[in-house]
């Protein structure tokens, strides 16, 4: 992005450098700020308040004050506001996508895709808001009636990651606001501007003051207040398993309801009866979305003996045709990683695999374009014991292992503490059912490399988390079930 375009974007009313608390734009009490850099060149793009415990507490109190009026609105009225928010996001999609690429680095076409995906949660939950159905149950005694009603859980808090700066907020806020909850969001410090742009649009859409708040700053202090404040009845977090388990411990003191979308280690299995061209396209989509920085990105490829060499050959051609560049370059399919730590992790996984005997077929090194650039990489001969098969790499590396039998592939796929997404390709309907049911994951892509969808329940099993976002289940996470016995 050239200097004039950057200056224009900075002047855009959606590019806010203050927090949004109780319907007002606010600075930190201390005046402290956090600087935000562009991952493509590590240049400064703007700053946001470095808020802490006191400001988080005020945001929670504002959310609590606005709760009675918001939950008393009809579901239809709340849905209408969410629908306006969705439309405003689409009307401003170009600006929102440019803000995202500037702070997160992903290719502009992917940012546009994320804005549409993010907006789709508001539309989905605008419609779902009126389906918070209860039920009646036949009572044991003829003079009694049993009724079950659904009520909003109360003030909700969201802690969101840098890899999907817009959709991880709308997936939580759409459900919370539709259910009648109010919310305080703490976005990742690397990507706060997408969150603040959403707050501006919330205001324009008519979200009442205090119903949606965004607080940037110290993760430790803000998250500590969110889990420590008894006014908060629900905490939703997307991020690492390490941080998720800390939050779980902290939330225990107030017995807060939790949704945790944590780390993954997704397998991608190609069986000998797969359509190989479709499998290669699915592999590219499932591996290189957001340059591999997606919780549902494939981390491990298992390819059956009979098709291994043909699959690797086709995949190599596809990988070598990919263009690595600045997210604003329309040619770019893959873009810089978020920071140096991410680059170091990716390269250390590659070094460990090669050091233990894997073959480096393409890439495997940083690119001269800039500090955060790593070439799309293909490794073969990877074994289950290598670091790259055991930990989430979060980068553009395809690690391929060959297998002989279906049982072996399933064993290896399940040999991990994680269970977020999994993918497999097969044209055999019997195998499709067997494998889909045997895989330990919350989401399974069958002959499909992209699984994310507002209408579907997104979430993991084992150490990949608790609860579901999106779908009917997403609304349920923000509702309490109350049983009434009428004598
Ligand atoms: C994630 O990386 O956790 C979110 C990806 C998605 O919603 O598709």
């Amino acid at each position: 992005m050239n200097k004039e375009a950057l200056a224009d974007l900075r002047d855009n009313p959606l590019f806010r450098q203050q927090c949004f608390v109780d319907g007002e734009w606010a600075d930190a009490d201390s005046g402290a700020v956090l600087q935000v850099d562009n991952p493509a060149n590590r240049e400064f793009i703007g700053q946001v308040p470095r808020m802490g415990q006191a400001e988080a507490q005020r945001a929670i109190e504002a959310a609590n004050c606005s709760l009675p009026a918001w939950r008393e609105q009809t579901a239809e009225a709340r849905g209408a506001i969410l629908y306006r928010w969705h439309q405003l996001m689409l009307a401003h999609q170009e600006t929102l996508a440019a803000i995202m690429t500037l702070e997160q680095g992903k290719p502009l076409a992917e940012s546009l895709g994320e804005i549409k995906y993010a907006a789709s949660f508001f539309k989905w939950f605008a419609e779902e808001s009126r389906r918070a159905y209860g039920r009646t149950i036949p009572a044991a005694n003829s003079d009694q009636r049993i009724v079950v009603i659904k009520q909003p859980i109360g003030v909700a808090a969201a802690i969101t990651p840098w890899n999907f700066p817009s959709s991880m907020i709308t997936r939580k806020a759409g459900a919370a606001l539709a259910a009648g909850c109010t919310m305080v969001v703490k976005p990742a410090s690397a990507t706060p501007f997408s969150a603040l742009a959403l707050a501006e649009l919330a205001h324009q859409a008519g979200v009442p003051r205090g119903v949606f708040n965004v607080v940037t700053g110290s993760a430790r202090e803000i998250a500590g207040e969110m889990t420590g404040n008894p006014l908060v009845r629900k905490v939703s977090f997307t991020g690492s398993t390490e941080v998720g388990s800390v939050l779980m411990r902290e939330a225990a003191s107030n017995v807060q309801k939790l949704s945790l979308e944590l780390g993954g280690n997704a397998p991608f299995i190609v069986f000998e009866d797969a359509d190989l061209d479709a499998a290669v396209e699915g592999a590219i989509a499932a591996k290189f979305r957001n340059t591999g920085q997606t919780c549902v990105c494939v981390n491990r490829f298992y390819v059956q003996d009979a098709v291994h060499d043909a699959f690797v050959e086709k995949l190599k051609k596809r990988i070598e045709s990919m263009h690595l560049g600045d997210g604003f370059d329309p040619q770019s399919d893959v873009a810089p990683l978020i920071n140096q730590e991410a680059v170091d992790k990716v390269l250390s996984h590659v070094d460990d695999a090669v050091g233990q005997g894997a073959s480096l077929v393409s890439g495997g090194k940083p690119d001269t374009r800039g500090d955060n650039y790593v070439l799309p990489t293909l490794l073969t001969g990877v074994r289950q014991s290598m670091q790259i098969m055991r930990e989430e790499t979060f980068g553009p590396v395809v690690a391929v292992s060959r297998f002989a039998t279906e049982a072996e592939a399933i064993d290896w796929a399940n040999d991990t503490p994680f269970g977020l997404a999994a993918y497999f390709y097969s044209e055999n309907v019997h195998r499709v059912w067997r494998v889909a049911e045997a895989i330990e994951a919350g989401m399974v892509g069958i002959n499909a490399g992209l699984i994310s969808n507002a209408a579907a329940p997104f979430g993991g099993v084992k150490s990949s988390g608790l609860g579901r976002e999106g779908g009917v289940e997403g609304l349920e996470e923000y509702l309490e079930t109350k049983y009434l016995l009428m004598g």
Side-chain angles (χ1 to χ4, degrees):
M1 178 174 243
N2 64 33
K3 288 214 159 39
E4 295 76 54
L6 177 59
D8 279 357
L9 190 59
R10 281 216 196 95
D11 285 344
N12 192 296
L14 290 184
F15 190 86
R16 310 295 309 215
Q17 301 193 61
Q18 287 179 299
C19 293
F20 191 66
V21 178
D22 200 13
E24 311 273 347
W25 293 100
D27 292 314
D29 293 348
S30 65
V33 291
L34 290 174
Q35 300 211 339
V36 184
D37 296 339
N38 178 352
N41 51 24
R42 299 193 180 173
E43 282 174 12
F44 171 76
I45 54 176
Q47 62 190 32
V48 291
R50 191 188 178 289
M51 289 189 165
Q53 182 274 327
E55 297 94 329
Q57 184 181 351
R58 280 206 293 282
I60 291 166
E61 281 163 4
N64 191 50
C65 281
S66 62
L67 181 64
W70 181 247
R71 74 177 162 214
E72 270 153 36
Q73 291 215 24
T74 61
E76 191 171 352
R78 291 195 300 267
I81 292 176
L82 283 174
Y83 191 67
R84 273 205 296 281
W85 203 355
H86 155 265
Q87 286 179 306
L88 283 165
M89 285 188 74
L90 295 184
H92 293 282
Q93 57 182 283
E94 310 277 336
T95 306
L96 295 172
I99 291 173
M100 188 180 294
T101 292
L102 188 63
E103 65 179 351
Q104 202 279 337
K106 66 177 74 178
L108 195 55
E110 281 200 44
S111 293
L112 265 176
E114 185 183 337
I115 295 303
K116 289 182 194 144
Y117 175 48
S120 75
F121 287 103
F122 287 152
K123 182 158 181 259
W124 170 262
F125 285 114
E127 291 160 355
E128 273 311 288
S129 61
R130 66 184 84 186
R131 284 189 272 278
Y133 300 141
R135 68 190 202 278
T136 58
I137 300 172
N141 300 317
S142 59
D143 61 348
Q144 294 182 332
R145 298 290 178 270
I146 296 177
V147 179
V148 177
I149 61 169
K150 297 284 177 174
Q151 292 182 305
I153 192 162
V155 174
I159 305 169
T160 60
W162 52 263
N163 60 341
F164 285 83
S166 192
S167 53
M168 295 306 98
I169 295 176
T170 59
R171 183 149 88 184
K172 299 175 195 311
L177 271 55
C181 299
T182 55
M183 182 165 255
V184 179
V185 179
K186 152 75 179 81
S189 296
T191 57
F193 297 119
S194 295
L196 296 168
L198 282 176
E200 170 59 30
L201 293 179
H203 171 67
Q204 291 181 23
V207 174
R209 61 184 296 165
V211 168
F212 179 77
N213 307 273
V214 179
V215 178
T216 60
S218 161
R220 199 179 40 78
E221 286 186 41
I222 296 169
E225 180 61 24
M226 286 170 162
T227 51
N229 190 324
L231 294 177
V232 175
R233 296 313 317 146
K234 160 94 193 179
V235 178
S236 178
F237 168 70
T238 299
S240 70
T241 298
E242 293 73 36
V243 175
S245 41
V246 171
L247 289 173
M248 210 167 164
R249 271 196 294 278
E250 290 179 355
S253 58
N254 285 310
V255 197
Q256 288 161 321
K257 188 168 174 176
L258 279 176
S259 290
L260 301 173
E261 197 255 278
L262 308 176
N265 185 5
F268 187 107
I269 310 173
V270 183
F271 289 102
E272 59 196 7
D273 46 28
D275 172 339
L276 279 201
D277 291 321
V280 168
E281 285 319 304
I284 295 288
K287 175 69 246 187
F288 290 101
R289 179 170 172 231
N290 198 14
T291 313
Q293 302 172 108
T294 303
C295 299
V296 291
C297 267
V298 180
N299 210 49
R300 305 170 285 152
F301 284 82
Y302 300 113
V303 186
Q304 199 155 14
D305 279 332
V307 292
H308 176 275
D309 295 355
F311 177 79
V312 166
E313 197 43 47
K314 283 172 188 279
L315 192 60
K316 174 176 184 288
K317 280 209 187 86
R318 254 323 244 110
I319 290 175
E320 289 178 353
S321 72
M322 294 183 98
H323 181 82
L324 168 65
D326 187 308
F328 284 102
D329 174 352
Q331 305 286 312
S332 301
D333 308 299
V334 272
L337 297 178
I338 190 74
N339 56 27
Q340 186 64 48
E341 208 186 320
V343 172
D344 292 346
K345 183 173 191 195
V346 169
L347 296 178
S348 81
H349 279 190
V350 173
D351 288 349
D352 173 77
V354 173
Q356 292 194 56
S359 306
L360 181 61
V361 179
S362 332
K365 48 181 195 296
D367 186 72
T368 46
R369 247 165 282 243
D371 294 324
N372 293 347
Y373 289 80
V374 175
L375 286 167
T377 298
L378 175 60
L379 292 165
T380 56
V382 177
R383 286 195 317 277
Q384 197 66 359
S385 56
M386 295 175 183
Q387 210 179 356
I388 201 158
M389 296 307 233
R390 314 220 65 87
E391 291 170 29
E392 193 175 31
T393 306
F394 238 55
V397 186
V398 173
V400 182
S401 187
R402 58 163 84 221
F403 69 90
T405 64
E406 182 182 304
E408 186 175 40
I410 292 171
D411 262 10
W412 287 349
N414 289 342
D415 176 25
T416 169
F418 300 101
L420 190 59
Y423 307 82
F424 71 92
Y425 275 70
S426 167
E427 297 283 293
N428 175 334
V429 70
H430 304 288
R431 194 198 297 276
V432 162
W433 280 105
R434 266 195 318 269
V435 176
E437 291 182 4
I439 281 200
E440 294 167 1
M443 299 170 279
V444 184
I446 304 161
N447 297 324
L450 289 177
I451 53 174
S452 307
N453 185 323
F458 189 106
V461 300
K462 295 159 69 177
S463 296
S464 289
L466 293 176
R468 294 294 180 269
E469 296 189 295
V472 178
E473 293 83 353
L475 186 69
E476 194 63 39
E477 297 278 337
Y478 292 86
L479 293 168
E480 283 289 11
T481 298
K482 188 184 277 178
Y483 141 58
L484 314 176
L485 179 79
M486 304 179 151

